[in-house]
């Protein structure tokens, strides 16, 4: 979750306690309980409550935008608002549709990325480990075989530093399929990636990967079998490091 500062920005001088409760409790402690309820479902619950109470102001616009970021697609939002019209009132739904069309305007006729395998859905379950938006399209069932997924990064998006742990074997393979991106191991220069490139990531190596600043990027991520495998997510890649990369 991105740290919220709206309360402090608007009311710190007038109502510091309210500002603290808004930023640290509501948007900090409550919204961060993703193990209890996903961000996507929290967004749906929130916009449902606001529309039902007739709130169609800037707060609804904010939560519609947040819902989009948390993986609620344009099609899903249209269906949610249609459902709400019968329970929250037709005028409330009409007002919400006007805001939703503005929020989702860029999704109309949106260019698909992801190469041959397709872009997939917003990677909302792991959004907190990415700077920028990413998309995930699983290609295999991990309960039946090696897990393979197509991961797509919007321009400038990259995942946090992370490590694939294993007592034996393990690690990951990246098979680049679309666009241009970066791969970097700690202490080494970043490697430029294009379709056809293959990256072998041994277990225990701290690294990150993502798109270049001016290009979408997709790769197949192949989880290599191993003993007691686990991923450790670490700190974000700073803008200073990312912006210093050269072609």
């Amino acid at each position: 979750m991105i740290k919220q500062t709206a309360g402090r920005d608007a009311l710190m001088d007038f109502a510091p306690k309210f500002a603290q409760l808004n930023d640290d409790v509501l948007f900090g402690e409550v919204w961060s309980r993703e193990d209890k309820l996903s961000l996507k479902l929290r967004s749906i619950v929130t916009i449902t409550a606001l529309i039902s109470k007739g709130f169609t102001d800037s707060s609804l616009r904010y939560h519609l935008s947040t819902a989009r970021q948390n993986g609620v697609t344009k099609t899903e939002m249209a269906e949610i608002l249609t459902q709400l019209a019968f329970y929250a009132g037709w005028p409330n739904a009409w007002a919400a549709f006007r805001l939703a069309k503005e929020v989702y305007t860029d999704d109309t006729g949106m260019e698909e990325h992801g190469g041959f395998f397709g872009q997939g859905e917003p990677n909302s379950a792991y959004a907190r480990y990415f700077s920028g938006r990413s998309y995930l399209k699983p290609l295999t069932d991990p309960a039946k075989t090696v897990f393979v997924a197509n991961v797509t990064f919007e321009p400038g998006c990259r995942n946090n530093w992370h490590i694939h742990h294993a007592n034996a074997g393990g690690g990951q393979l990246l098979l680049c399929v679309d666009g241009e991106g970066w791969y970097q191991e700690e202490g080494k220069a970043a490697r430029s990636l294009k379709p056809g490139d293959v990256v072998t990531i041994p277990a225990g190596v701290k690294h990150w990967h993502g798109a270049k600043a001016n290009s979408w990027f997709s790769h197949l991520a192949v989880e290599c079998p191993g003993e007691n495998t686990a991923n450790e997510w670490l700190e974000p890649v700073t803008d200073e490091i990312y912006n210093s990369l050269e072609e």
Side-chain angles (χ1 to χ4, degrees):
M1 283 292 296
I2 298 174
K3 183 174 178 59
Q4 178 64 261
T5 62
R8 287 182 171 86
D9 293 342
L11 294 171
M12 191 60 184
D13 294 337
F14 187 78
K17 186 60 179 179
F18 180 90
Q20 181 262 322
L21 291 172
N22 181 84
D23 295 350
D24 300 342
V25 179
L26 174 57
F27 287 99
E29 296 177 17
V30 176
W31 274 84
S32 67
R33 288 161 53 87
E34 296 177 55
D35 59 324
K36 309 298 183 185
L37 190 68
S38 70
L39 290 175
K40 181 175 181 177
L41 286 178
R42 287 187 189 277
S43 285
I44 292 172
V45 170
T46 302
I47 62 175
T48 297
L50 291 174
I51 294 169
S52 297
K53 295 175 73 67
F55 294 131
T56 55
D57 56 4
S58 60
S59 62
L60 178 59
R61 180 188 294 275
Y62 169 81
H63 283 289
L64 287 169
S65 297
T66 301
R68 181 175 179 264
Q69 294 170 7
N70 289 338
V72 180
T73 67
K74 179 168 69 71
T75 300
E76 289 172 331
M77 182 58 69
E79 193 64 21
I80 289 167
L81 298 185
T82 300
Q83 181 82 6
L84 278 175
F86 290 92
Y87 293 92
W90 215 256
N92 289 351
W94 262 111
F97 267 120
R98 293 189 185 98
L99 291 178
K101 283 185 64 178
E102 296 175 5
V103 169
Y104 283 84
T105 185
D106 291 341
D107 290 7
T108 303
M110 184 174 61
E111 180 183 359
E112 282 291 314
H113 300 275
F116 180 82
F117 296 96
Q119 182 171 310
E121 298 297 324
N123 190 13
S124 54
Y126 291 88
R128 61 189 181 279
Y129 303 127
F130 285 71
S131 298
R133 286 188 292 186
S134 65
Y135 301 82
L136 184 68
K137 186 171 184 180
L139 302 177
T140 62
D141 183 349
K144 298 179 180 179
T145 185
V146 172
F147 183 55
V148 181
N150 194 29
V151 185
T152 298
F153 304 77
E154 70 176 3
C157 176
R158 66 271 190 187
N159 51 31
N160 290 6
W161 291 97
H162 57 286
I163 301 173
H164 303 293
H165 292 288
N167 290 347
Q172 188 179 59
L173 296 177
L174 305 181
L175 310 178
C176 305
V177 297
D178 191 52
E180 297 188 24
W182 296 108
Y183 169 78
Q184 185 174 28
E185 297 180 1
E186 186 177 43
K188 297 183 179 180
R191 175 183 169 186
S192 177
L193 300 176
K194 295 181 180 181
D197 288 338
V198 177
V199 180
T200 301
I201 308 171
V205 174
K206 183 177 179 180
H207 65 284
W208 68 269
H209 36 103
K212 292 187 176 180
N214 59 354
S215 175
W216 286 75
F217 176 61
S218 298
H219 63 59
L220 300 186
V222 182
E223 299 296 331
C224 301
E227 297 179 7
N228 297 320
T229 59
N231 290 343
E232 180 184 7
W233 290 100
L234 303 168
E235 72 277 9
V237 178
T238 65
D239 289 340
E240 181 180 7
I241 291 176
Y242 184 79
N243 292 335
S244 69
L245 302 178
E246 298 181 357
E247 297 294 334

